[in-house]
Amino acid sequence: MMSTIERRITDAKIEIRNNDDGTVGLRGYAAVFDSVAHGEVVRRSAFSRTIDQRDNARLLINHDGVPLASVKAGTMTLSVDDRGLLVDAPNLDPKNPTVQELVSAMNRGVEPIETLPGLVVSNGPRRNAAPR
């Protein structure tokens, strides 16, 4: 049986930085408003409920694995600006293998969009979700 892998790529810049305290920071857009990706257009109101209710959104890479950060843990914040949904995870654990992989790619000069093809902010499975 063949499986399908879905990748959502934004044209937004994602920054990864080494902090003075040894941690790694990630900041960038998980979604860009009013741009078409895979036939979908994300509207400005798409994340209003998540932001307003401070849902426990988690930072995942490629829709998979153990979250690198989350709103509930206080290791990530979400905000909306004119461009899209901004994710800021200022203190990622540098011992985490996924974080090490991202930093390694950046140090080699690989463009962030190639290193984070599946940057996902998730608050769990969508059930009976209304169209975005």
Side-chain angles (χ1 to χ4, degrees):
M1 179 175 170
M2 209 154 106
S3 64
T4 302
I5 297 173
E6 177 183 341
R7 291 196 170 148
R8 294 170 188 250
I9 300 173
T10 70
D11 63 353
K13 183 177 181 181
I14 297 170
E15 299 173 345
I16 297 175
R17 66 189 176 283
N18 292 310
N19 297 322
D20 291 339
D21 66 357
T23 61
V24 175
L26 179 145
R27 182 177 169 91
Y29 290 90
V32 176
F33 297 141
D34 302 321
S35 63
V36 178
H38 299 283
E40 296 178 340
V41 177
V42 178
R43 299 291 178 215
R44 293 183 188 279
S45 62
F47 302 102
S48 297
R49 185 182 143 271
T50 298
I51 300 287
D52 292 345
Q53 294 183 5
R54 296 188 46 83
D55 284 350
N56 186 30
R58 300 164 307 186
L59 178 64
L60 304 172
I61 305 300
N62 291 328
H63 298 260
D64 195 24
V66 175
L68 298 179
S70 74
V71 170
K72 183 177 181 180
T75 53
M76 177 178 80
T77 59
L78 301 176
S79 60
V80 172
D81 64 15
D82 289 337
R83 184 149 194 210
L85 178 65
L86 183 62
V87 177
D88 188 18
N91 301 101
L92 298 176
D93 179 3
K95 294 178 185 173
N96 182 300
T98 302
V99 173
Q100 291 174 357
E101 184 178 11
L102 295 174
V103 170
S104 172
M106 292 293 292
N107 288 339
R108 292 190 321 269
V110 176
E111 292 294 319
I113 200 64
E114 294 173 11
T115 64
L116 296 173
L119 173 63
V120 177
V121 175
S122 172
N123 60 353
R126 294 178 60 174
R127 297 177 193 197
N128 302 323
R132 294 182 264 174

